[in-house]
Amino acid sequence: QVQLVESGGGSVQAGGSLNLSCTASVYIANWGWLRQAPGKEREGVAIVCGLDGSTYYADSVKGRFTISRDYAKKTAYLQMNSLKPEDTAMYYCATGLPSCGVSAVARAKDWGRGTQVTVSS
């Protein structure tokens, strides 16, 4: 089973930035990030997949978040800018994605334990 370890979460004020990282125990090509806030459904946030590294984003984060991957380092990143209070959630990286689309991230096979992001107004 793949092991995923996220880091980089924290507390910031609205408008601030955070850069999340996720390191895997094996080499992975396709990565996703999802989030879950208390009392809310899991939401796929971003995905990077394919040989060309295509990226897709949820409408709620488009233009503010950027997903990237470093295959050699077995690591994916989520750069989050212009953070809003509604971005507050536990963020998880995910692999074993059923397809290359942001809606697939919530159905990923493997998740990490998550890193908390809290944005205050």
Side-chain angles (χ1 to χ4, degrees):
Q1 184 175 356
V2 176
Q3 293 186 348
L4 303 168
V5 180
E6 302 95 338
S7 62
S11 297
V12 297
Q13 291 191 324
S17 298
L18 286 171
N19 189 23
L20 306 184
S21 299
C22 177
T23 300
S25 57
V26 298
Y27 289 102
I28 293 173
N30 301 330
W31 296 82
W33 285 93
L34 62 113
R35 66 187 181 187
Q36 189 165 24
K40 293 191 176 181
E41 297 277 330
R42 288 183 302 215
E43 176 188 20
V45 172
I47 185 171
V48 56
C49 49
L51 292 175
D52 62 352
S54 296
T55 57
Y56 302 93
Y57 299 92
D59 288 343
S60 57
V61 306
K62 204 171 293 182
R64 300 187 297 121
F65 290 11
T66 302
I67 187 171
S68 60
R69 64 187 179 185
D70 187 324
Y71 185 80
K73 293 184 178 179
K74 304 177 191 175
T75 299
Y77 306 93
L78 186 68
Q79 176 66 44
M80 306 187 296
N81 298 327
S82 302
L83 283 161
K84 304 176 181 180
E86 51 264 43
D87 294 318
T88 295
M90 186 71 79
Y91 283 72
Y92 303 86
C93 68
T95 63
L97 302 167
S99 62
C100 186
V102 70
S103 61
V105 179
R107 294 179 285 117
K109 177 183 176 185
D110 298 301
W111 298 19
R113 291 190 174 185
T115 185
Q116 178 67 38
V117 171
T118 302
V119 185
S120 58
S121 57

